[in-house]
């Protein structure tokens, strides 16, 4: 495939370098990027279609799955098309405003995913620990309101990031060692004092994700306590099965993020392309695998998908 060098030196633009050190393999690297994007789009759109078409799936649990599917589509769409432009056509330039917008949207959606996982954990807690009141505690309208609160919380937490960056002077070399505008990657090309930026990003991630993980752990500790009190082995197994998909999705979401954070803060000896690949895996794997996990592990979704496929 022909490569066109449309990299710009305009001071109002940044340069996204893709994966430095692996430029010769950019075309090959684009294959897993594009494949994961297509799988993510197909899987998540299929989930949204099934839930919208089937009246029996118009329940809080499936509305939460739809919210997660929307954030998955948004995450991969904010990252992959620009990355493919870099890999295929060497279109590395991005305006400062475009970069800050991409960063804000990407981090907002990531925080919203975490909030949705908290609501899902609460949903499972009510379903197992207080099943008789489930329909009154978690209604579709309440789920929609919780989703809106999650979006507002994420936007408010992330809004200072582009505002703080916008006040900083940037060096003559505006090359960002990433495929997308990730906060710390953009901060590194600033020539100003970045102490406030570093502190704010660390504190907000530590506090918000810490609170989310604490609430999830609390929900599951109460769920485990309730399950251990169940005498029936069949009911015991059924209760565990209802949590399996959510646990798998949580592991897929938080584990790559944790590894990325650890390597950024303590992996100074690790090659830059390893950091970049890990950061991209954190954004690409969950959107691709989440619909597969829910399609396989959630019996009602699995059955509806099978019936609809056979009918077609």
């Amino acid at each position: 495939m022909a490569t066109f060098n449309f990299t710009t030196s305009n001071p109002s633009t940044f340069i996204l370098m893709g994966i430095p050190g692996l430029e010769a393999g950019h075309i090959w690297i684009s294959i897993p990027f594009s494949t994961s994007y297509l799988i993510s789009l197909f899987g998540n759109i299929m989930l949204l279609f099934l839930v919208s078409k089937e009246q029996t799936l118009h329940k809080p649990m499936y509305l939460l799955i739809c919210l997660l599917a929307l954030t998955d589509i948004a995450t991969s769409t904010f990252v992959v098309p620009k990355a493919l432009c870099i890999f295929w056509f060497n279109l590395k330039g991005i305006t400062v405003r475009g970069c800050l917008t991409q960063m804000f949207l990407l981090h907002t959606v990531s925080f919203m995913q975490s909030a949705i996982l908290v609501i899902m954990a609460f949903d499972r807690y009510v379903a197992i620990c207080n099943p008789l009141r489930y329909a009154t505690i978690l209604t579709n309208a309440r789920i929609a309101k919780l989703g809106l609160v999650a979006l507002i919380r994420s936007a408010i937490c992330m809004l200072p990031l582009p505002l703080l960056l916008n006040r900083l002077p940037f060096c003559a070399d505006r090359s960002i060692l990433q495929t997308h505008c990730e906060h710390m990657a953009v901060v590194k090309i600033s020539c100003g004092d970045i102490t406030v930026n570093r502190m704010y990003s660390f504190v907000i991630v530590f506090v918000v994700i810490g609170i989310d993980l604490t609430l999830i752990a609390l929900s599951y500790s109460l769920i485990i306590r309730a399950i251990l009190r169940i005498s029936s082995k069949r009911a015991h197994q059924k209760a565990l099965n209802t949590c399996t998909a959510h646990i798998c999705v949580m592991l897929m979401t938080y584990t790559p993020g944790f590894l990325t954070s650890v390597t950024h803060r303590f992996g100074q000896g690790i090659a830059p392309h390893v950091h970049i690949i890990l950061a991209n895996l954190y954004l690409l794997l969950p959107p691709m695998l989440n619909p597969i996990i829910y399609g396989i592990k959630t019996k009602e979704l699995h059955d509806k998908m099978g019936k609809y496929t056979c009918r077609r």
Side-chain angles (χ1 to χ4, degrees):
M1 187 180 289
T3 303
F4 308 96
N5 189 4
F6 294 137
T7 301
T8 176
S9 58
N10 190 324
S12 65
T13 64
F14 292 144
I15 310 300
L16 289 168
M17 298 303 294
I19 306 180
L22 299 177
E23 289 89 349
H26 271 181
I27 295 297
W28 295 107
I29 293 168
S30 72
I31 295 173
F33 269 72
S34 54
T35 303
S36 67
Y37 184 50
L38 291 174
I39 293 171
S40 170
L41 283 182
F42 177 78
N44 287 296
I45 290 171
M46 176 64 79
L47 274 180
L48 293 170
F49 175 77
L50 277 175
V51 175
S52 66
K53 290 287 284 186
E54 295 290 337
Q55 283 291 123
T56 55
L57 297 180
H58 291 182
K59 300 173 183 175
M61 176 184 171
Y62 298 104
L63 291 182
L64 286 169
I65 291 174
C66 285
L67 285 176
L68 191 65
L70 288 171
T71 61
D72 284 339
I73 291 170
T75 299
S76 51
T77 300
F78 292 151
V79 174
V80 178
K82 180 58 184 176
L84 292 179
C85 286
I86 297 168
F87 297 150
W88 288 346
F89 309 115
N90 207 34
L91 291 169
K92 298 181 177 181
I94 184 170
T95 64
V96 173
R97 185 171 294 180
C99 184
L100 295 181
T101 301
Q102 185 194 45
M103 182 191 70
F104 170 71
L105 293 173
L106 194 55
H107 290 311
T108 297
V109 169
S110 294
F111 266 47
M112 188 174 176
Q113 282 180 331
S114 183
I116 290 169
L117 290 174
V118 174
I119 302 168
M120 285 179 156
F122 179 66
D123 171 79
R124 292 301 83 207
Y125 160 72
V126 177
I128 292 170
C129 300
N130 210 342
L132 297 178
R133 295 186 60 202
Y134 180 84
T136 55
I137 294 173
L138 285 173
T139 61
N140 290 347
R142 192 159 288 167
I143 291 297
K145 288 175 184 176
L146 288 171
L148 182 61
V149 169
L151 176 60
I152 293 169
R153 182 199 76 160
S154 304
I156 289 172
C157 289
M158 291 298 106
L159 187 58
L161 293 183
L163 296 178
L164 288 169
L165 274 171
N166 202 41
R167 69 181 178 81
L168 292 174
F170 289 97
C171 304
D173 182 7
R174 297 189 165 203
S175 301
I176 300 172
L177 303 181
Q178 230 338 328
T179 59
H180 57 276
C181 291
E182 187 267 332
H183 177 250
M184 289 312 299
V186 179
V187 163
K188 286 176 183 176
I189 64 169
S190 171
C191 295
D193 183 5
I194 60 172
T195 306
V196 175
N197 300 69
R198 283 182 175 275
M199 285 301 298
Y200 181 79
S201 64
F202 175 77
V203 169
I204 203 70
V205 169
F206 182 79
V207 171
V208 175
I209 301 301
I211 290 172
D212 288 353
L213 287 173
T214 301
L215 292 173
I216 290 170
L218 178 63
S219 294
Y220 272 95
S221 64
L222 294 172
I223 287 169
I224 291 167
R225 189 177 71 174
I227 288 173
L228 292 175
R229 290 176 177 175
I230 298 172
S231 55
S232 168
K233 198 168 186 178
R234 187 177 176 182
H236 194 281
Q237 190 62 41
K238 186 180 177 181
L240 283 173
N241 287 340
T242 62
C243 300
T244 306
H246 182 244
I247 292 169
C248 291
V249 167
M250 278 196 307
L251 291 173
M252 282 305 310
T253 301
Y254 288 117
T255 305
F258 175 74
L259 291 175
T260 302
S261 298
V262 169
T263 54
H264 261 297
R265 301 202 176 275
F266 306 109
Q268 285 79 10
I270 298 174
H273 66 265
V274 176
H275 289 291
I276 296 167
I277 289 169
L278 281 173
N280 280 281
L281 285 176
Y282 166 60
L283 297 172
L284 295 177
L285 281 182
M288 180 179 67
L289 295 177
N290 287 350
I292 297 172
I293 291 168
Y294 276 113
I296 293 171
K297 293 291 185 182
T298 309
K299 187 179 184 301
E300 210 168 346
L301 267 179
H302 186 271
D303 291 345
K304 294 294 181 185
M305 196 177 293
K307 287 176 184 177
Y308 188 82
T309 306
C310 292
R311 192 162 63 236
R312 287 292 173 188

